[in-house]
Amino acid sequence: MGESSGGNLLIIGGNEDKQGECIILRKFIAMAGGREARIAVVTTATEFPREVGDEYRSLFTEFGAESSNILFIANREAANDRHNISEIEQSSGIFFTGGDQLRLTSILGGSGVDAAIRRAFRRSTIIAGTSAGASVMSDTMIVDGSSSDTPTKSMLSMAHGMGLLEEVVIDQHFAQRGRINRLLAAVAQNPHILGVGIDEDTALIVAPDGMFEIVGSQTVTIVDGKAIIQTNISESKPFDPLALTNVILHILPSGFGYDLKRRMPYISKTK
């Protein structure tokens, strides 16, 4: 379980450092080829595509990328535009900005750009996403849900993501927005799926073999429900509190990693 279907993923919890050492964004450029990096910035999720796109383009250029192009894909017509498809095909790194993850899947899903992204990923092009761009990486994504209420069956809505990472559900801005309860609710609905909550200015790098390492200033929370003994999810009413016993929880900062196949954390060789 938990394998990606192609190259590396860089999944960012949002609000990554853009003024200091910029460890995460610099890591993305390095993994995309350094001075030979050709970056495609996909701004579909955001309501402010020009402002957000210009900011990332300036940063990636400053970090030494050979080129950084913004793709303004705001509708299905643009998602099938041959120029946008060509930009994806020629890139060595694809970056999804934050915003609304449902905009990403509803506009890109099944389009020519979507197909080009998947072909690029199979060729080992690195794909990165922050905030909403992180949520869409998995095959199941959280679309909406309360961050503060007691876990209940009705507290969140989920939809299909892009499916670049299998059998995982990702939540972002995790500790900063108190989202542990909604990740528990997601795992309760299907304990086979691993819950991954990523804090701001923190990312996980997922290798094709299902190994990932944490980078950044905060932590990644892993919720593993595979060993759950008791749960009331099937018989509870929509607003009844959930019962869950024997949930496994890991809190992992930079310098740690996680084996998605074995469901085991480890200390990585480099911080």
Side-chain angles (χ1 to χ4, degrees), residues 16-17 22-29 59 63 95:
E16 67 280 0
D17 176 24
C22 305
I23 292 171
I24 294 171
L25 296 179
R26 289 183 185 274
K27 183 70 173 178
F28 170 61
I29 295 302
L59 285 166
F63 300 156
F95 188 91

Side-chain angles (χ1 to χ4, degrees), residues 140-189:
T140 301
M141 68 178 185
I142 296 174
V143 175
D144 194 16
S146 172
S147 299
S148 58
D149 292 342
T150 297
T152 66
K153 183 159 55 177
S154 65
M155 76 178 303
L156 80 167
S157 57
M158 295 192 288
H160 288 293
M162 293 189 71
L164 302 176
L165 181 61
E166 299 174 350
E167 299 174 8
V168 170
V169 61
I170 295 165
D171 211 347
Q172 18 79 12
H173 300 285
F174 192 68
Q176 291 72 23
R177 299 185 184 178
R179 288 178 166 173
I180 182 66
N181 285 347
R182 74 181 201 175
L183 192 61
L184 285 167
V187 171
Q189 292 186 28

Side-chain angles (χ1 to χ4, degrees), residues 227-249:
I228 287 174
I229 295 173
Q230 294 176 318
T231 177
N232 66 347
I233 186 80
S234 61
E235 65 268 19
S236 65
K237 296 178 181 178
F239 297 100
D240 287 347
L242 288 182
L244 293 170
T245 68
N246 209 47
V247 177
I248 299 172
L249 183 73

Side-chain angles (χ1 to χ4, degrees), residues 75-142:
N75 50 52
R76 296 285 292 180
E77 182 179 2
N80 287 294
D81 181 81
R82 294 187 64 84
H83 172 74
N84 289 327
I85 293 170
S86 177
E87 288 288 345
I88 292 292
E89 290 175 338
Q90 295 177 47
S91 67
S92 63
I94 301 166
F95 188 91
F96 292 105
T97 69
D100 180 351
Q101 51 264 43
L102 201 55
R103 277 182 56 82
L104 272 169
T105 55
S106 63
I107 290 174
L108 298 185
S111 69
V113 164
D114 182 38
I117 289 168
R118 296 174 189 279
R119 289 194 300 270
F121 189 49
R122 288 193 292 271
R123 296 194 304 269
S124 298
T125 298
I126 181 171
I127 298 183
T130 184
S131 190
S135 290
V136 298
M137 298 286 192
S138 54
D139 44 11
T140 301
M141 68 178 185
I142 296 174

Side-chain angles (χ1 to χ4, degrees), residues 184-212:
L184 285 167
V187 171
Q189 292 186 28
N190 187 350
H192 181 64
I193 295 176
L194 194 75
V196 178
I198 310 173
D199 291 352
E200 294 179 356
D201 191 37
T202 306
L204 54 89
I205 302 168
V206 183
D209 62 359
M211 305 291 283
F212 72 61

